[in-house]
Each structure stands twice: as structure tokens, then as C-alpha cells.
Coordinates of all heavy atoms in Angstrom, one line a residue:
M1 N 0.8 -1.2 0.0 CA 0.0 0.0 0.0 C 0.9 1.2 0.0 O 1.9 1.3 0.7 CB -0.9 0.0 1.2 CG -1.8 1.2 1.2 SD -3.3 1.2 2.4 CE -3.0 -0.1 3.5
P2 N 0.5 2.3 -0.8 CA 1.3 3.5 -0.8 C 1.3 4.2 0.5 O 0.3 4.0 1.3 CB 0.7 4.3 -1.9 CG -0.7 3.8 -2.0 CD -0.7 2.4 -1.6
H3 N 2.2 5.1 0.7 CA 2.2 6.0 1.9 C 1.0 6.9 1.7 O 0.8 7.5 0.7 CB 3.4 6.8 2.0 CG 3.3 7.9 3.1 ND1 3.3 7.6 4.4 CD2 3.1 9.2 3.0 CE1 3.2 8.7 5.1 NE2 3.1 9.7 4.3
L4 N 0.1 7.0 2.7 CA -1.1 7.8 2.6 C -1.2 8.9 3.7 O -0.7 8.6 4.8 CB -2.3 6.9 2.7 CG -2.4 5.8 1.6 CD1 -3.5 4.9 2.0 CD2 -2.7 6.5 0.2
E5 N -1.7 10.0 3.4 CA -2.0 11.1 4.3 C -3.4 11.0 4.8 O -4.3 11.4 4.1 CB -1.7 12.5 3.7 CG -0.3 12.7 3.3 CD 0.7 12.9 4.4 OE1 0.3 13.4 5.5 OE2 1.8 12.5 4.3
W6 N -3.7 10.3 5.9 CA -5.0 10.1 6.4 C -5.6 11.4 7.0 O -4.9 12.1 7.7 CB -5.0 9.0 7.5 CG -4.6 7.7 6.9 CD1 -3.4 7.1 6.9 CD2 -5.5 6.8 6.2 NE1 -3.5 5.9 6.3 CE2 -4.7 5.7 5.8 CE3 -6.8 6.9 5.8 CZ2 -5.3 4.6 5.1 CZ3 -7.4 5.8 5.0 CH2 -6.6 4.7 4.7
Q7 N -6.9 11.6 6.7 CA -7.6 12.7 7.3 C -8.8 12.2 8.0 O -9.6 11.4 7.5 CB -8.1 13.7 6.2 CG -6.9 14.3 5.4 CD -7.4 15.3 4.4 OE1 -8.5 15.3 4.0 NE2 -6.5 16.2 4.0
K8 N -9.0 12.8 9.2 CA -10.2 12.4 10.0 C -11.3 13.3 9.7 O -11.1 14.5 9.4 CB -9.8 12.5 11.5 CG -10.8 11.9 12.4 CD -10.3 11.9 13.9 CE -9.5 10.7 14.1 NZ -9.3 10.4 15.6
S9 N -12.5 12.8 9.8 CA -13.7 13.6 9.5 C -13.8 14.8 10.4 O -13.4 14.7 11.6 CB -15.0 12.7 9.7 OG -16.1 13.5 9.7
T10 N -14.3 15.9 9.9 CA -14.5 17.1 10.7 C -15.6 16.9 11.7 O -15.8 17.7 12.6 CB -14.8 18.3 9.8 OG1 -15.9 18.1 9.0 CG2 -13.6 18.7 9.0
Y11 N -16.4 15.9 11.5 CA -17.6 15.6 12.4 C -17.1 14.7 13.6 O -17.9 14.2 14.3 CB -18.7 14.9 11.6 CG -19.3 15.8 10.6 CD1 -19.0 15.7 9.3 CD2 -20.3 16.7 11.0 CE1 -19.6 16.5 8.4 CE2 -20.9 17.5 10.1 CZ -20.5 17.4 8.8 OH -21.1 18.3 7.9
S12 N -15.8 14.5 13.8 CA -15.3 13.7 14.9 C -15.3 14.4 16.2 O -14.5 14.1 17.1 CB -14.0 13.1 14.5 OG -13.0 14.1 14.4
S13 N -16.0 15.5 16.3 CA -16.1 16.3 17.6 C -14.9 17.0 18.0 O -14.7 17.4 19.1 CB -16.7 15.4 18.7 OG -15.7 14.5 19.2
G14 N -13.9 17.1 17.1 CA -12.7 17.8 17.4 C -11.7 17.1 18.3 O -10.7 17.6 18.6
N15 N -12.1 15.9 18.8 CA -11.2 15.1 19.6 C -10.3 14.3 18.8 O -10.8 13.3 18.1 CB -12.1 14.3 20.6 CG -11.3 13.5 21.5 OD1 -10.1 13.4 21.4 ND2 -11.9 12.9 22.5
P16 N -9.0 14.5 18.8 CA -8.1 13.7 18.0 C -8.1 12.2 18.4 O -7.6 11.4 17.6 CB -6.8 14.4 18.2 CG -6.9 15.1 19.4 CD -8.3 15.5 19.6
N17 N -8.5 11.9 19.6 CA -8.5 10.5 20.1 C -9.8 9.8 19.8 O -10.0 8.6 20.2 CB -8.1 10.5 21.5 CG -6.8 11.0 21.8 OD1 -5.8 10.7 21.0 ND2 -6.6 11.8 22.8
S18 N -10.8 10.4 19.3 CA -12.1 9.8 19.0 C -12.0 8.9 17.8 O -11.3 9.1 16.9 CB -13.2 10.8 18.9 OG -13.0 11.6 17.7
D19 N -12.8 7.8 17.8 CA -12.8 6.9 16.7 C -13.8 7.4 15.6 O -14.9 7.8 16.0 CB -13.3 5.5 17.1 CG -12.3 4.9 18.1 OD1 -11.1 5.2 18.0 OD2 -12.7 4.0 18.9
C20 N -13.4 7.3 14.4 CA -14.3 7.7 13.3 C -13.6 7.3 12.0 O -12.6 6.7 11.9 CB -14.5 9.2 13.3 SG -13.1 10.2 12.9
L21 N -14.3 7.7 10.9 CA -13.9 7.3 9.6 C -12.7 8.2 9.2 O -12.7 9.4 9.4 CB -15.0 7.5 8.6 CG -14.7 7.2 7.1 CD1 -14.4 5.7 6.9 CD2 -15.8 7.7 6.2
E22 N -11.7 7.6 8.6 CA -10.5 8.4 8.1 C -10.4 8.1 6.6 O -10.8 7.0 6.1 CB -9.2 8.0 8.8 CG -9.2 8.3 10.2 CD -7.9 7.8 10.9 OE1 -7.4 6.7 10.6 OE2 -7.4 8.6 11.7
A23 N -10.0 9.1 5.8 CA -10.0 8.9 4.4 C -8.6 9.5 3.9 O -8.0 10.3 4.5 CB -11.1 9.7 3.7
A24 N -8.2 8.9 2.8 CA -7.0 9.3 2.1 C -7.1 9.1 0.6 O -7.8 8.2 0.2 CB -5.7 8.6 2.6
R25 N -6.5 10.0 -0.2 CA -6.4 9.8 -1.6 C -5.1 9.3 -2.0 O -4.1 9.8 -1.6 CB -6.7 11.1 -2.3 CG -6.8 11.0 -3.8 CD -7.1 12.3 -4.5 NE -8.4 12.7 -4.2 CZ -9.6 12.5 -4.8 NH1 -9.5 11.7 -5.9 NH2 -10.7 13.0 -4.4
G26 N -5.1 8.2 -2.7 CA -3.9 7.5 -3.2 C -3.3 8.2 -4.4 O -4.0 9.0 -5.1
P27 N -2.1 8.0 -4.7 CA -1.4 8.6 -5.8 C -2.1 8.3 -7.2 O -2.0 9.1 -8.1 CB 0.0 8.1 -5.8 CG 0.0 6.9 -5.0 CD -1.2 7.0 -4.1
E28 N -2.8 7.2 -7.3 CA -3.5 6.8 -8.5 C -4.9 7.3 -8.6 O -5.7 7.0 -9.5 CB -3.4 5.3 -8.7 CG -4.3 4.5 -7.7 CD -3.8 4.5 -6.2 OE1 -2.6 4.8 -5.9 OE2 -4.6 4.2 -5.4
G29 N -5.3 8.1 -7.6 CA -6.7 8.7 -7.6 C -7.7 7.9 -6.8 O -8.8 8.4 -6.7
R30 N -7.4 6.8 -6.3 CA -8.3 6.0 -5.6 C -8.5 6.6 -4.2 O -7.6 7.2 -3.7 CB -7.9 4.5 -5.4 CG -7.9 3.8 -6.8 CD -7.7 2.3 -6.5 NE -7.9 1.6 -7.8 CZ -7.1 0.7 -8.3 NH1 -6.0 0.4 -7.6 NH2 -7.3 0.2 -9.4
L31 N -9.7 6.3 -3.6 CA -9.9 6.7 -2.2 C -9.7 5.5 -1.3 O -10.2 4.4 -1.5 CB -11.4 7.2 -2.1 CG -11.7 8.4 -2.8 CD1 -13.2 8.8 -2.7 CD2 -10.9 9.6 -2.3
Y32 N -9.1 5.7 -0.2 CA -8.8 4.7 0.9 C -9.6 5.2 2.1 O -9.5 6.3 2.5 CB -7.3 4.7 1.2 CG -6.5 4.1 0.0 CD1 -6.2 4.9 -1.1 CD2 -6.0 2.8 0.1 CE1 -5.4 4.4 -2.1 CE2 -5.3 2.3 -1.0 CZ -5.0 3.1 -2.1 OH -4.2 2.6 -3.1
L33 N -10.3 4.2 2.7 CA -11.1 4.5 3.9 C -10.8 3.5 4.9 O -10.6 2.3 4.7 CB -12.6 4.4 3.5 CG -13.1 5.2 2.3 CD1 -14.4 4.8 1.8 CD2 -13.1 6.7 2.7
R34 N -10.8 4.0 6.2 CA -10.6 3.1 7.3 C -11.2 3.6 8.5 O -11.5 4.8 8.6 CB -9.1 2.8 7.6 CG -8.4 4.1 8.1 CD -6.9 3.8 8.3 NE -6.3 5.0 9.0 CZ -5.0 5.1 9.2 NH1 -4.2 4.1 8.8 NH2 -4.5 6.1 9.8
E35 N -11.5 2.8 9.5 CA -12.0 3.2 10.8 C -10.8 3.4 11.7 O -9.9 2.6 11.7 CB -12.9 2.1 11.4 CG -13.5 2.4 12.7 CD -14.5 3.5 12.7 OE1 -15.2 3.7 11.7 OE2 -14.7 4.1 13.7
S36 N -10.8 4.5 12.4 CA -9.6 4.9 13.1 C -9.2 3.9 14.2 O -8.1 3.7 14.6 CB -9.7 6.3 13.7 OG -10.8 6.3 14.6
D37 N -10.2 3.1 14.7 CA -9.9 2.1 15.8 C -9.5 0.8 15.2 O -9.2 -0.1 15.9 CB -11.1 2.0 16.8 CG -12.3 1.4 16.2 OD1 -12.4 1.4 14.9 OD2 -13.2 0.9 16.9
D38 N -9.5 0.6 13.9 CA -9.0 -0.6 13.2 C -8.3 -0.2 11.9 O -8.7 -0.4 10.8 CB -10.3 -1.5 12.8 CG -9.8 -2.8 12.3 OD1 -8.7 -3.2 12.4 OD2 -10.7 -3.5 11.7
P39 N -7.1 0.5 12.1 CA -6.4 1.1 10.9 C -5.8 0.1 10.0 O -5.5 0.4 8.9 CB -5.3 1.9 11.6 CG -5.1 1.3 12.9 CD -6.5 0.8 13.3
D40 N -5.8 -1.2 10.3 CA -5.2 -2.2 9.4 C -6.2 -2.7 8.4 O -5.9 -3.3 7.4 CB -4.7 -3.4 10.2 CG -3.4 -3.0 11.0 OD1 -2.7 -2.1 10.6 OD2 -3.2 -3.6 12.0
T41 N -7.5 -2.4 8.6 CA -8.6 -2.8 7.7 C -8.9 -1.6 6.8 O -9.3 -0.5 7.3 CB -9.8 -3.2 8.4 OG1 -9.5 -4.4 9.2 CG2 -10.9 -3.6 7.4
V42 N -8.6 -1.6 5.5 CA -8.7 -0.5 4.6 C -9.6 -0.9 3.4 O -9.4 -1.9 2.8 CB -7.3 0.0 4.1 CG1 -7.4 1.1 3.1 CG2 -6.4 0.3 5.3
L43 N -10.6 -0.1 3.1 CA -11.4 -0.2 1.9 C -10.9 0.7 0.9 O -10.5 1.8 1.2 CB -12.8 0.1 2.3 CG -13.5 -0.7 3.3 CD1 -14.9 -0.1 3.6 CD2 -13.6 -2.1 2.9
V44 N -10.9 0.3 -0.4 CA -10.4 1.1 -1.5 C -11.5 1.2 -2.5 O -12.2 0.2 -2.9 CB -9.2 0.4 -2.2 CG1 -8.6 1.3 -3.3 CG2 -8.1 0.1 -1.1
T45 N -11.8 2.4 -3.0 CA -12.8 2.7 -4.0 C -12.4 3.8 -4.9 O -11.3 4.4 -4.7 CB -14.2 3.0 -3.3 OG1 -15.2 3.0 -4.2 CG2 -14.1 4.3 -2.5
T46 N -13.2 4.1 -5.8 CA -12.9 5.2 -6.8 C -13.8 6.4 -6.3 O -14.8 6.2 -5.7 CB -13.3 4.8 -8.2 OG1 -14.7 4.6 -8.3 CG2 -12.5 3.6 -8.7
P47 N -13.4 7.6 -6.7 CA -14.2 8.7 -6.4 C -15.6 8.6 -6.9 O -16.6 9.0 -6.2 CB -13.5 9.9 -7.0 CG -12.0 9.5 -7.0 CD -12.1 8.0 -7.3
A48 N -15.8 8.1 -8.1 CA -17.2 8.0 -8.7 C -18.0 7.0 -7.9 O -19.2 7.3 -7.6 CB -17.1 7.5 -10.1
R49 N -17.5 5.9 -7.5 CA -18.3 5.0 -6.6 C -18.6 5.5 -5.3 O -19.7 5.3 -4.7 CB -17.5 3.6 -6.5 CG -17.6 2.9 -7.8 CD -16.9 1.5 -7.7 NE -17.1 0.8 -9.0 CZ -16.6 -0.4 -9.2 NH1 -15.9 -1.0 -8.3 NH2 -16.8 -1.0 -10.3
W50 N -17.7 6.2 -4.7 CA -17.9 6.9 -3.4 C -19.0 7.9 -3.5 O -19.9 8.0 -2.7 CB -16.6 7.5 -2.9 CG -16.7 8.2 -1.5 CD1 -16.6 9.5 -1.3 CD2 -17.0 7.6 -0.3 NE1 -16.8 9.7 0.1 CE2 -17.0 8.6 0.7 CE3 -17.2 6.2 0.1 CZ2 -17.3 8.3 2.0 CZ3 -17.5 6.0 1.5 CH2 -17.5 7.0 2.4
S51 N -19.0 8.7 -4.5 CA -20.0 9.7 -4.8 C -21.4 9.0 -5.0 O -22.4 9.5 -4.4 CB -19.7 10.6 -6.0 OG -18.6 11.4 -5.7
A52 N -21.4 7.9 -5.7 CA -22.7 7.2 -5.9 C -23.2 6.7 -4.6 O -24.4 6.8 -4.4 CB -22.5 6.1 -6.9
L53 N -22.4 6.2 -3.7 CA -22.8 5.7 -2.4 C -23.4 6.8 -1.6 O -24.4 6.7 -1.0 CB -21.6 5.0 -1.7 CG -21.9 4.6 -0.3 CD1 -23.0 3.5 -0.3 CD2 -20.7 4.2 0.4
L54 N -22.7 7.9 -1.6 CA -23.2 9.1 -0.8 C -24.5 9.6 -1.3 O -25.4 10.0 -0.5 CB -22.1 10.2 -0.8 CG -20.8 9.9 0.0 CD1 -19.9 11.0 -0.1 CD2 -21.1 9.5 1.4
R55 N -24.7 9.7 -2.6 CA -25.9 10.1 -3.2 C -27.0 9.1 -2.9 O -28.2 9.5 -2.5 CB -25.8 10.2 -4.7 CG -25.2 11.5 -5.2 CD -25.4 11.7 -6.8 NE -25.0 10.5 -7.6 CZ -23.8 10.3 -7.9 NH1 -22.8 11.1 -7.6 NH2 -23.5 9.2 -8.7
A56 N -26.8 7.8 -2.9 CA -27.8 6.8 -2.6 C -28.2 6.9 -1.1 O -29.3 6.8 -0.8 CB -27.3 5.4 -2.9
A57 N -27.2 7.1 -0.3 CA -27.5 7.2 1.2 C -28.3 8.4 1.5 O -29.2 8.4 2.3 CB -26.2 7.2 1.9
G58 N -27.9 9.5 0.8 CA -28.6 10.8 1.0 C -30.1 10.7 0.5 O -30.9 11.5 1.0
S59 N -30.3 9.9 -0.5 CA -31.7 9.9 -1.0 C -32.6 8.8 -0.3 O -33.7 8.7 -0.6 CB -31.6 9.5 -2.5 OG -31.2 8.2 -2.7
G60 N -31.9 8.0 0.6 CA -32.7 7.0 1.3 C -32.9 5.8 0.4 O -33.7 4.9 0.8
A61 N -32.1 5.6 -0.6 CA -32.2 4.4 -1.4 C -31.9 3.1 -0.6 O -31.0 3.2 0.3 CB -31.3 4.5 -2.6
T62 N -32.6 2.1 -0.9 CA -32.4 0.8 -0.1 C -31.8 -0.3 -0.9 O -31.7 -1.4 -0.4 CB -33.8 0.4 0.5 OG1 -34.7 0.1 -0.6 CG2 -34.3 1.4 1.4
H63 N -31.4 -0.1 -2.1 CA -30.8 -1.2 -2.9 C -29.4 -0.9 -3.2 O -28.8 0.0 -3.0 CB -31.6 -1.5 -4.1 CG -31.7 -0.3 -5.1 ND1 -32.3 0.9 -4.7 CD2 -31.2 -0.1 -6.3 CE1 -32.2 1.7 -5.7 NE2 -31.6 1.2 -6.7

């Protein structure tokens, strides 16, 4: 895995020790996602697929 600059969500209440979603953009443009309390488990997706997931979640889609 490439060296990544992880960013914690701004919704993590400002506490640097709180567990939340962290995201990083890889050099090839992919998005890397992990839970801060389990940093060895990393999901990899594309920006287009991440956007589609967020749109579906925001619309209440169930499929």
C-alpha cells in the first residue's frame, strides 16, 4: 500500500482520540477508507463509486 496522508472527518467532535472514519487519496486517484480504531482494515474505492454511495445514502435508497 502506498504511503497515505489520512484525514479524520471534521464531524469527529474535534477530539483527535475519538474513533471515526478516516480517508486518504492515493497517488493513482483511488480513495482509501478506514475506521480509526481498526487502521489495518482498509477499503479502497474510486471517487465515482464513493459519490454514488453518498448520493444513494442521502436519497434514502435501499438497494
